[in-house]
């Protein structure tokens, strides 16, 4: 099986030390692909390319309407490959195909949204005491942005990180989760087809403790954005202190789902289930605490338990499947331990 490469400085390259990683379908443990597995040296190469591109290249200096044209083209390319991307997302992540199709459409919409946003007036002016002086707020790109995403929404998270970062003129380095890199690889094929300047957007594959840490710790990276677990988020925040880079962390939570007795019973039941079982429950905003008004509880809980027992779990490509498998056997064991 041919090793799938990463995308650095406009070129598809394998890891500097030749490491690889096998990628499996969580529904049946089928080997889907072998991908290159980067090291700290690969991260440093990506950072160097992004730094040079931002400081000297055309992307940050490009006028907003021109940058927007790249994002619009990318959105069109995503739409054109929507069915193939959705199927690949389901095979790599496990989620039902209908959820994957929604994610792909949302990813394209995200690139279009930010492409439109940057062509709209954003400047602000303020009156000051001296009438001969004008005070103006000007928005400028931050610089080199490291972007680390999780495995629960592989393509959509990539869009949520890349679209605003690129739209603003930053040079972005995306590091997908080790278990779900396949749609990110396909996305970067489309980025290459759209003609983005080399170094403006790069795909860095590899484990979080090495390549992810390198992005967070590097003094040549101006911002690190991470979506994932709280333990890793603390490590990223600590690593980012070296040059006091800007940090955005979207971490896990225990989100409450609150139902009062005067709610529409069937609607409340439906959404209580959706809140915790959508995306296999592998969602940072999943409604993992159900708070019921006491006089409703005796009626609600038996109906909830009955409905949960009827959820069809299976391969996401099966149209009957309502909930796909958890991402890895190790994660399954972790959840069962809870």
């Amino acid at each position: 099986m041919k090793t799938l490469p990463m995308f650095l400085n406009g070129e598809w390259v394998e890891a500097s030390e030749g490491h690889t990683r096998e990628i499996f379908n969580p529904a049946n443990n089928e080997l889907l692909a072998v991908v290159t597995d980067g090291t700290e040296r690969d991260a440093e190469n990506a950072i160097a390319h992004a730094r040079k591109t931002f400081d000297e290249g055309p992307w940050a200096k490009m006028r907003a309407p021109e940058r927007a044209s790249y994002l619009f083209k990318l959105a069109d390319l995503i739409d054109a490959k929507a069915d193939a991307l959705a199927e690949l997302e389901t095979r790599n992540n496990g989620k039902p195909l209908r959820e994957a199709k929604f994610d792909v459409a949302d990813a394209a919409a995200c690139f279009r949204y930010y492409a439109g946003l940057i062509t709209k007036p954003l400047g602000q002016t303020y009156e000051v005491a001296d009438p001969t002086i004008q005070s103006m707020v000007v928005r400028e790109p931050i610089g080199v942005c490291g972007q680390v995403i999780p495995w629960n929404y592989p393509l959509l998270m990539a869009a949520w990180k890349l679209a605003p970062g690129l739209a603003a003129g930053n040079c972005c380095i995306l590091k997908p989760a080790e278990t779900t890199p396949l749609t990110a690889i396909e996305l970067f094929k489309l980025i290459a087809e759209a003609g983005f300047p080399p170094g403006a957007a790069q795909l860095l594959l590899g484990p979080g403790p090495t390549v992810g840490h390198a992005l967070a710790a590097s003094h040549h990276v101006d911002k690190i954005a991470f979506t994932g677990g709280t333990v890793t988020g603390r490590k990223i925040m600590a690593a980012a202190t070296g040059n006091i880079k800007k940090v955005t962390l979207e971490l896990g939570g225990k989100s409450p789902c609150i139902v009062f007795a005067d709610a529409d019973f069937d609607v409340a039941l439906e959404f209580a289930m959706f809140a915790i079982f959508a995306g296999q429950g592998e969602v940072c905003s999943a409604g993992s605490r159900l708070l019921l008004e006491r006089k409703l509880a005796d009626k609600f809980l038996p109906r909830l338990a009955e409905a949960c027992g009827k959820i069809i779990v299976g391969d996401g490509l099966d149209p009957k499947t309502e909930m796909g498998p958890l991402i890895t056997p190790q994660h399954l064991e972790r959840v069962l331990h809870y």
Side-chain angles (χ1 to χ4, degrees), residues 57-101:
W59 188 250
K61 301 175 178 63
M62 194 178 291
R63 294 180 64 250
E66 188 176 355
R67 282 201 308 274
S69 70
Y70 286 92
L71 298 178
F72 279 127
K73 184 174 182 179
L74 179 57
D76 290 341
L77 291 171
I78 292 171
D79 280 341
K81 296 289 182 74
D83 288 343
L85 287 169
E87 181 177 338
L88 184 60
E89 189 85 326
T90 291
R91 295 179 70 199
N92 193 181
N93 166 273
K95 65 177 60 187
L97 184 60
R98 64 177 179 275
E99 292 187 25
K101 287 182 177 180

Side-chain angles (χ1 to χ4, degrees), residues 1 18 20-21 47 57-58 68 70 96 122 125 161 178 209 222 226 230 244 277-278 281 292-293 314 319:
M1 186 175 287
T20 61
R21 182 183 299 271
I47 292 166
Y70 286 92
L122 288 174
T125 59
K161 291 285 191 287
E178 294 95 307
D222 302 295
F226 170 75
T230 304
I244 318 180
F277 290 113
L292 302 175
E293 188 172 351

Side-chain angles (χ1 to χ4, degrees), residues 12 149 154-155 158 174 176 180-189 203:
W12 293 99
I149 60 174
L155 181 65
L174 182 78
T180 54
L182 299 187
T183 49
I185 292 172
E186 293 301 312
L187 175 63
F188 272 80
K189 290 180 182 179
L203 177 66

Side-chain angles (χ1 to χ4, degrees), residues 12 19 113 127 177 188 316:
W12 293 99
H19 297 165
Y113 174 85
E127 290 189 15
F188 272 80

